């Protein structure tokens, strides 16, 4: 007799379709738990087994909380606007709305195989006008607060996707979606002032239970630097250049300046130099190289502008160079350089630029090497200053604030906080997205669409392909574009750019508690009960884009009084990717249809069943780490499932009513419960499954007979991993439903073992382990240890035996 998943699993899935498990109740006095998956965009390739890893993980914790008596909100929806859906539709020659609807149907069918306790009454779709009406409403709140502005600016342009990209969507010089090398294009753009929230986004991280890696990624992306702005008059010119320095302690060492090749001041600076053409060609080569590489990967190179700045701190005339490593949008895009920065040092050595040492180590030998320009010394904390004379002999780190005061008081510089973060380029020159609810009027300027006229619906068109001109396909639909100004009533035109995919995902978690609200985006009472999200599970690839943008929108809505909280996600867990060997590349890689290494969960469910796949996805390794898919592992889980089924359905396993369970069996059940629950609490479902396997091994080896209470505890535990099997066994063996069970508790007193493991050592090296009763006498321990360590003791002279009661035995031999 084996687990007949082909008849059992469809039975329970049909049952749960008619009688949903754990639907969320309205806010009440019950404890709540909001567990959320990063909702998917419904691609044409459907789900692969990598998706299951995150969805099964979230379902485990939703089920635990449900069995603990919590009011659980575990919803699912579709992030269906944006480039991925539109590009997929273009490839297939269909309308995005048609492709999206078809893909959602496939995803939903596949998700139901997982048997997650999703509350499908909460389902939402970002392309539904009843949903994006409120995405548009939130945009209007940003606009009215002065956090959305329109500007002509050079932006990241993807020649393949034919649209502008935010800085966060450019990875190693390529489009985050398609990998095409990004170019620069100047077009009108709508931009959100996320930089106004840089400090709040930074300090808010401190109170979040998030992986440190993710918090560090966001901190580095925001890139806050406190420093000084120095004024640098250009010799024989009216120009004054400003330079930003975050490491200014050795400011007296500066001997040259570098300017970014795309700094807007460069044209003015070199307008009268004889090699202007050569400089411009150099800049173009650098910028072309940056399009395919990160600036940090480019070998430092430069060209002299022929210009000098008169150093305000007394170092004479400093040459101004264009340098490949200078970034236009960091600081001022112009940097004062010195011997005390490794990149500056290497650049100066390469181009024979004079250097001056003003910071030295205490060690005399190393100091001589620094002063002889043999090594670069950069320790701005422990280094000893030589200049200016007011700080001579002092540690740089001890006088940092004093140097700030000195430079400000002597009118050499002013304090400045700089950020790496740039404002969010928000508009897209594509069709498949939320229309931006603004109107352009020649008399009134840019006017928001009145809120009672929302949503501005996306028109149904036949030709939606991107134009490549910098304008959206919507721009040629006259009957949609032409409208009247809501302020003056004169003819006006609609904004034709659409929102990026990230817009709908910035706030969807606010809508889930009440997705059918008609008169507002969300209800404050609902959110006061449900928010913030207790557990948010998704891939680390969203650490910057989605998570940063969502936090920004929530902070804005909080500051405007719409929300009582300013952080949406209390606890974040990033699951690792499932990798698989790709025959096309010859490497183990992330699953992708283009690489031909996708594993379709439908095929696995058909062959092994949902419960086996659920358990295997959790057993593959620590869920936060990437792992490689191996088909062979499924067979091991299948054997375990069948062994478990046979043991539980054996008529000898369950004791008759009134017959008491053996104490050893009771203790073993409680030890299992402790281990299982502790491992799940630490997000180690792989070792939790091991605990279940270890218990089954003991139970079958010792032919344990179980009380009905113990059986129920075991099956309730199994249910979070294998809900179909657990439900069937509860019905067959106990005539109970999972709804009638609770999350089992254990008695700590029963988990204290009567035995201990003794480590057997020979000359301090571990050679074996033995298990004995607690407080066993010394002679017995030695005798048992000698048997276990016989291989290493045979023919040896034992000169000493050390016994540590209940812990170890060490045989000292010659």
């Amino acid at each position: 007799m084996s687990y007949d998943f082909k008849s059992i699993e469809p039975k329970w899935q049909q049952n749960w379709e008619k009688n949903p498990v754990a639907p969320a109740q309205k806010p009440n006095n019950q404890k709540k738990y909001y567990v959320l998956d990063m909702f998917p965009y419904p691609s044409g390739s459907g789900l692969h087994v990598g998706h299951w890893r995150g969805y099964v993980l979230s379902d485990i914790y939703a089920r635990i909380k449900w069995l603990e008596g919590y009011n659980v909100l575990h919803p699912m929806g579709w992030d269906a606007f944006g480039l991925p859906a539109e590009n997929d539709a273009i490839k297939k020659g269909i309308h995005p709305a048609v492709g999206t609807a078809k893909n959602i149907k496939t995803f939903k069918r596949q998700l139901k195989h997982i048997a997650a306790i999703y509350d499908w009454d909460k389902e939402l779709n970002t392309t539904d006008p009843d949903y994006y009406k409120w995405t548009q409403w939130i945009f209007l709140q940003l606009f009215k607060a002065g956090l959305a502005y329109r500007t002509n600016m050079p932006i990241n342009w993807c020649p393949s996707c034919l649209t502008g990209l935010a800085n966060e969507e450019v990875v190693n010089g390529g489009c985050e979606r398609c990998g095409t090398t990004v170019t620069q294009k100047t077009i009108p753009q709508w931009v959100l002032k996320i930089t106004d929230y840089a400090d709040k986004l930074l300090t808010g991280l401190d109170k979040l239970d998030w992986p440190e890696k993710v918090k560090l990624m966001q901190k580095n992306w925001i890139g806050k630097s406190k420093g000084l702005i120095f004024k640098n008059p250009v010799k024989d010119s009216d120009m004054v250049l400003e330079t930003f320095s975050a490491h200014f302690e050795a400011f007296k060492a500066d001997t040259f300046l570098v300017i970014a090749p795309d700094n807007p001041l460069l044209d003015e600076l070199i307008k009268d130099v004889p090699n202007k053409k050569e400089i411009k060609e150099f800049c173009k080569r650098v910028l072309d190289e940056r399009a395919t590489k990160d600036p940090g990967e480019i070998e430092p190179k430069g060209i002299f502008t022929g210009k000098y700045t008169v150093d305000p701190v007394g170092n004479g005339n400093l040459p101004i160079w264009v340098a490949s490593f200078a970034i236009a949008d960091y600081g001022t895009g112009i940097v004062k350089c010195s011997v005390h920065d490794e990149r500056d040092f290497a650049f100066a050595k390469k181009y024979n630029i004079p250097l001056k040492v003003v910071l030295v180590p205490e060690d005399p030998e190393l100091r001589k090497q620094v002063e002889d320009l043999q090594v670069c010394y950069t320790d701005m904390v422990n280094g000893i200053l030589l200049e200016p004379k007011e700080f001579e002999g002092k540690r740089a780190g001890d006088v940092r604030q004093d140097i700030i005061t000195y430079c400000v008081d002597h009118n050499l510089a002013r304090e400045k906080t700089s950020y790496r973060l740039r404002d969010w380029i928000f508009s897209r020159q594509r069709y498949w997205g939320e229309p931006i609810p603004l109107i352009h009027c020649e008399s009134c300027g840019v006017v928001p669409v009145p809120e009672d006229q929302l949503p501005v619906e996306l028109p149904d068109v036949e030709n939606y392909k991107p134009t490549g001109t910098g304008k959206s396909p919507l721009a040629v639909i006259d009957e949609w574009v032409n409208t009247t100004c809501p302020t003056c009533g004169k003819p006006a035109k609609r904004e034709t750019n659409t929102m990026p995919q990230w817009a709908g995902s910035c706030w969807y978690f606010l809508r889930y508690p009440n997705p059918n609200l008609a008169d507002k985006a969300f209800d404050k009472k609902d959110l006061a009960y449900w928010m913030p999200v207790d557990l948010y599970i998704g891939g680390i690839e969203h650490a910057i884009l989605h998570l940063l943008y969502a936090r920004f929108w929530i902070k804005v809505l909080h500051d405007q009084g719409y929300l009582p909280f300013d952080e949406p996600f209390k606890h974040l867990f990033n699951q690792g990717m499932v990798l698989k060997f790709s025959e096309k590349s010859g490497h183990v890689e992330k699953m992708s249809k283009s690489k031909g290494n996708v594993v379709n969960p439908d095929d696995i469910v058909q062959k092994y069943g949902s419960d086996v796949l659920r358990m295997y996805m959790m057993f593959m390794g620590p869920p936060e780490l990437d792992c490689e898919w191996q088909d062979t592992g499924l067979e091991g889980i299948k054997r375990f499932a069948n062994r478990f089924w046979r043991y539980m359905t054996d008529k000898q396993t369950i004791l008759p009513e009134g017959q008491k369970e053996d104490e050893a069996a009771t203790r073993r059940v409680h030890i299992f419960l402790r281990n299982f629950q502790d491992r799940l609490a630490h997000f180690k479902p792989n070792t939790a499954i091991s605990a279940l396997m270890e218990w089954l091994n003991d139970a079958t080896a010792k032919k344990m007979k179980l009380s009905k209470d113990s059986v129920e505890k075991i099956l309730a535990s199994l249910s979070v991993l294998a809900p179909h099997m657990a439900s069937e066994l509860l019905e067959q063996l106990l005539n109970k439903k999972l709804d009638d069970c609770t999350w089992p508790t254990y008695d700590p007193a029963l988990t204290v073992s009567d035995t201990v493991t003794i480590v057997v050592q020979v000359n301090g090296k571990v050679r074996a382990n033995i298990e004995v009763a607690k407080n066993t006498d010394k002679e017995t321990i030695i005798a048992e240890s000698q048997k276990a360590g016989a291989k290493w003791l045979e023919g040896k002279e034992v000169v000493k035996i050390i016994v540590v009661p209940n812990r170890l035995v060490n045989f000292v031999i010659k």
Side-chain angles (χ1 to χ4, degrees):
M1 290 178 61
S2 298
Y3 171 50
D4 180 15
F5 68 88
K6 289 197 172 182
S7 63
I8 291 171
E9 292 186 355
K11 164 191 167 181
W12 286 102
Q13 287 175 21
Q14 290 168 17
N15 186 308
W16 296 328
E17 183 83 27
K18 295 175 183 176
N19 304 290
V21 176
Q25 305 301 309
K26 291 182 178 180
N28 53 45
N29 294 327
Q30 191 179 4
K31 295 178 294 183
K32 69 91 182 181
Y33 195 75
Y34 188 172
V35 57
L36 182 65
D37 298 291
M38 291 185 184
F39 67 166
Y41 77 84
S43 68
S45 55
L47 292 176
H48 58 67
V49 292
H51 294 102
W52 272 59
R53 198 177 194 200
Y55 299 151
V56 173
L57 187 65
S58 65
D59 189 55
I60 286 172
Y61 294 95
R63 286 179 173 278
I64 289 172
K65 291 300 178 181
W66 170 58
L67 289 170
E68 285 182 339
Y70 282 74
N71 185 9
V72 174
L73 176 58
H74 188 33
M76 179 52 73
W78 319 106
D79 189 13
F81 263 143
L83 294 180
E86 185 174 316
N87 286 342
D88 182 59
I90 289 173
K91 288 178 184 177
K92 294 174 179 175
I94 58 177
H95 194 282
V98 174
T100 298
K102 182 180 178 182
N103 296 344
I104 287 174
K105 186 177 180 181
T106 299
F107 267 54
K108 194 167 181 179
R109 173 187 60 76
Q110 290 181 304
L111 281 173
K112 289 190 176 182
H113 286 161
I114 296 177
I117 55 172
Y118 292 130
D119 187 344
W120 288 107
D121 287 341
K122 305 295 187 184
E123 180 183 3
L124 56 81
N125 183 334
T126 58
T127 68
D128 182 348
D130 289 339
Y131 177 83
Y132 70 72
K133 167 183 179 176
W134 300 109
T135 308
Q136 293 174 339
W137 176 83
I138 295 173
F139 174 84
L140 290 182
Q141 309 318 305
L142 290 157
F143 177 79
K144 292 171 185 177
L147 294 170
Y149 63 95
R150 190 173 187 255
T151 182
N152 285 321
M153 63 186 297
I155 63 160
N156 306 305
W157 179 264
C158 177
S160 176
C161 295
L162 297 176
T163 191
L165 305 174
N167 290 338
E168 294 86 345
E169 294 173 300
V170 180
V171 179
N172 295 326
C175 173
E176 186 259 348
R177 285 294 176 196
C178 69
T180 303
T181 298
V182 168
T183 61
Q184 296 291 300
K185 191 182 185 83
T186 299
I187 55 176
Q189 286 287 315
W190 281 100
V191 184
L192 298 187
K193 295 179 72 174
I194 192 173
T195 51
D196 279 14
Y197 276 75
D199 267 330
K200 288 184 177 181
L201 289 167
L202 198 58
T203 57
L205 292 169
D206 294 336
K207 63 182 180 182
L208 298 178
D209 181 14
W210 284 19
E212 287 303 318
K213 181 180 180 180
V214 175
K215 292 201 280 189
L216 182 61
M217 289 171 72
Q218 290 212 358
K219 286 177 182 177
N220 289 341
W221 190 261
I222 295 166
K224 183 177 182 178
S225 301
K226 287 187 176 182
L228 291 175
I229 293 280
F230 290 89
K231 289 184 176 181
N232 304 271
V234 178
K235 187 179 180 183
D236 302 325
S237 168
D238 294 332
M239 287 188 77
V240 177
L241 303 179
E242 290 193 330
T243 59
F244 174 77
S245 176
H247 301 291
F248 50 77
E249 292 86 342
F251 70 96
K252 274 284 191 175
D254 296 327
T255 57
F256 66 104
L257 271 69
V258 297
I259 184 170
D262 51 346
N263 191 302
L265 295 176
L266 182 59
D267 285 342
E268 175 66 19
L269 180 68
I270 64 172
K271 65 181 181 181
D272 57 354
V273 300
N275 64 332
K276 177 180 177 180
K277 182 179 178 182
E278 181 187 1
I279 295 171
K280 298 288 281 183
E281 288 174 349
F282 169 83
C283 292
K284 184 179 185 305
R285 288 196 301 274
V286 169
L287 295 174
D288 287 346
E289 190 174 7
R290 278 190 192 173
T292 57
K293 296 180 182 177
D294 186 272
E297 298 175 353
I298 300 173
E299 180 188 352
K301 58 177 74 74
I303 188 169
F304 180 43
T305 65
K307 295 288 186 175
Y308 293 83
T309 178
V310 181
D311 186 24
V313 306
N315 281 332
N317 297 331
L318 309 185
I320 305 171
W321 287 69
V322 180
S324 59
F325 57 81
I327 308 298
D329 57 2
Y330 178 77
T332 65
I334 309 171
V335 184
K336 288 184 85 175
C337 302
S338 81
V339 68
H340 299 300
D341 178 277
E342 290 184 359
R343 191 170 52 186
D344 299 351
F345 182 85
F347 188 87
K349 286 277 190 178
K350 181 175 181 177
Y351 294 107
N352 298 314
I353 301 171
L355 293 169
K356 173 187 175 185
V357 173
V358 304
L359 186 77
V360 294
E362 288 184 297
D363 178 73
E365 186 176 338
L366 180 57
R367 173 170 176 166
K368 186 176 187 309
Q369 292 178 326
V370 172
E371 291 177 329
D372 290 344
L373 301 180
Q374 296 176 28
V375 296
C376 176
Y377 185 67
T378 62
D379 191 340
M380 297 291 172
V381 176
N382 299 306
I384 306 301
L385 287 167
L386 304 179
E387 293 185 41
K389 63 181 180 180
E390 290 85 350
F391 303 105
E392 185 179 357
K394 295 183 178 179
R395 291 184 187 277
D398 294 341
V399 294
R400 179 179 168 91
Q401 186 57 49
D402 295 331
I403 291 173
I404 292 175
T405 303
Y406 174 88
C407 290
V408 172
D409 289 350
H410 285 75
N411 200 31
L412 302 175
R414 70 178 191 276
E415 285 190 79
K416 168 76 173 179
T417 299
S418 185
Y419 298 89
R420 181 179 183 266
L421 181 68
R422 291 291 166 262
D423 281 341
W424 175 10
I425 296 172
F426 191 71
S427 50
R428 298 291 181 271
Q429 296 70 46
R430 298 289 291 247
Y431 167 72
W432 194 239
E434 301 93 336
I436 294 175
L438 296 172
I439 291 171
H440 298 271
C441 173
E442 289 187 4
S443 300
C444 304
V446 179
V447 180
V449 172
E451 292 180 9
D452 61 4
Q453 292 181 22
L454 297 179
V456 177
E457 291 199 34
L458 188 67
D460 187 14
V461 297
E462 290 185 13
N463 182 18
Y464 61 85
K465 292 183 179 180
T467 64
T469 63
K471 291 185 178 181
S472 161
L474 297 177
V476 298
I477 308 174
D478 291 340
E479 62 272 24
W480 185 83
V481 172
N482 294 323
T483 185
T484 56
C485 174
T487 301
C488 68
K490 293 180 181 178
K493 293 183 180 294
R494 295 190 185 281
E495 171 62 47
T496 58
N497 281 346
T498 53
M499 299 185 196
Q501 179 188 0
W502 312 107
S505 63
C506 275
W507 74 283
Y508 73 110
F509 41 87
L510 303 180
R511 187 72 174 171
Y512 273 138
N514 200 334
N516 299 313
L517 275 175
D519 60 341
K520 48 193 168 185
F522 42 77
D523 184 89
K524 269 191 174 182
K525 290 182 180 179
D526 288 333
L527 297 189
Y529 177 76
W530 286 112
M531 291 293 294
V533 172
D534 295 284
L535 176 61
Y536 197 25
I537 293 180
I540 198 166
E541 65 270 19
H542 296 300
I544 301 297
L545 291 159
H546 162 59
L547 291 172
L548 190 67
Y549 293 159
R551 294 181 62 225
F552 167 49
W553 276 34
I554 294 315
K555 288 183 181 297
V556 172
L557 291 172
H558 168 265
D559 288 352
Q560 293 184 345
Y562 292 109
L563 300 176
F565 51 88
D566 68 344
E567 287 288 349
F569 314 120
K570 189 185 299 182
H571 182 193
L572 173 72
F573 187 90
N574 297 123
Q575 87 275 8
M577 291 188 293
V578 178
L579 312 175
K580 192 173 186 297
F581 181 78
S582 168
E583 292 186 359
K584 289 186 178 181
S585 69
H587 300 290
V588 174
E589 297 180 303
K590 177 182 177 180
M591 285 190 185
S592 166
K593 189 175 181 181
S594 63
K595 295 169 185 172
N597 65 342
V598 168
V599 177
N600 189 330
D602 293 358
D603 299 334
I604 308 300
V605 169
Q606 179 67 26
K607 185 175 181 181
Y608 293 97
S610 173
D611 282 353
V612 166
L613 181 55
R614 280 177 64 109
M615 287 191 285
Y616 180 56
M617 295 310 306
M618 294 298 97
F619 192 61
M620 291 175 73
E624 71 275 14
L625 301 180
D626 294 347
C627 61
E628 183 180 355
W629 175 266
Q630 299 286 352
D631 290 345
T632 52
L634 285 159
E635 289 294 335
I637 296 296
K638 176 184 175 182
R639 287 193 296 272
F640 163 71
N642 286 331
R643 284 180 58 226
F644 186 94
W645 179 269
R646 286 194 293 269
Y647 171 72
M648 281 296 182
T649 55
D650 188 323
K651 293 181 179 179
Q652 302 300 314
T653 296
I654 302 179
L655 291 165
E657 289 288 349
Q659 192 169 334
K660 190 176 179 182
E661 186 176 68
D662 184 76
E663 184 180 348
T666 304
R667 284 183 175 277
R668 189 62 185 88
V669 169
H670 282 254
I671 289 170
F672 156 71
L673 293 174
R674 178 199 63 191
N675 294 341
F676 187 76
Q677 293 178 13
D678 182 66
R679 294 171 189 184
L680 287 178
H682 289 89
F683 282 84
K684 302 297 179 187
N686 54 318
T687 60
I689 293 173
S690 296
L692 185 58
M693 291 175 168
E694 291 159 6
W695 171 82
L696 182 62
N697 289 340
D698 284 352
T700 52
K702 297 171 184 176
K703 297 182 179 179
M704 288 183 188
K705 297 183 183 298
L706 304 177
S707 67
K708 288 187 176 181
D709 180 63
S710 287
V711 170
E712 182 174 333
K713 283 180 164 65
I714 296 293
L715 294 179
S717 300
L718 175 71
S719 73
V720 304
L721 299 167
H724 305 88
M725 184 192 292
S727 296
E728 182 68 19
L729 288 171
L730 280 166
E731 183 179 75
Q732 283 192 26
L733 304 177
L734 304 178
N735 195 28
K736 293 189 81 168
K737 290 185 177 180
L738 192 53
D739 311 50
D740 302 322
C741 299
T742 59
W743 187 240
T745 58
Y746 62 86
D747 183 348
L750 293 175
T751 65
V752 179
S753 177
D754 288 332
T755 63
V756 292
T757 300
I758 303 290
V759 176
V760 180
Q761 297 179 339
V762 178
N763 283 354
K765 292 185 178 180
V766 177
R767 296 303 188 187
N769 293 305
I770 60 171
E771 190 168 321
V772 298
K774 270 187 180 178
N775 302 317
T776 296
D777 62 89
K778 185 176 179 179
E779 290 72 21
T780 303
I781 290 175
I782 291 173
E784 292 297 319
S785 298
Q786 284 174 324
K787 293 177 186 176
K791 176 180 176 181
W792 294 274
L793 297 175
E794 186 177 355
K796 306 293 184 182
E797 181 183 350
V798 179
V799 297
K800 189 176 183 180
I801 302 176
I802 302 168
V803 178
V804 179
N806 295 323
R807 290 184 59 191
L808 68 83
V809 175
N810 183 24
F811 295 95
V812 181
I813 63 174
K814 281 188 176 180

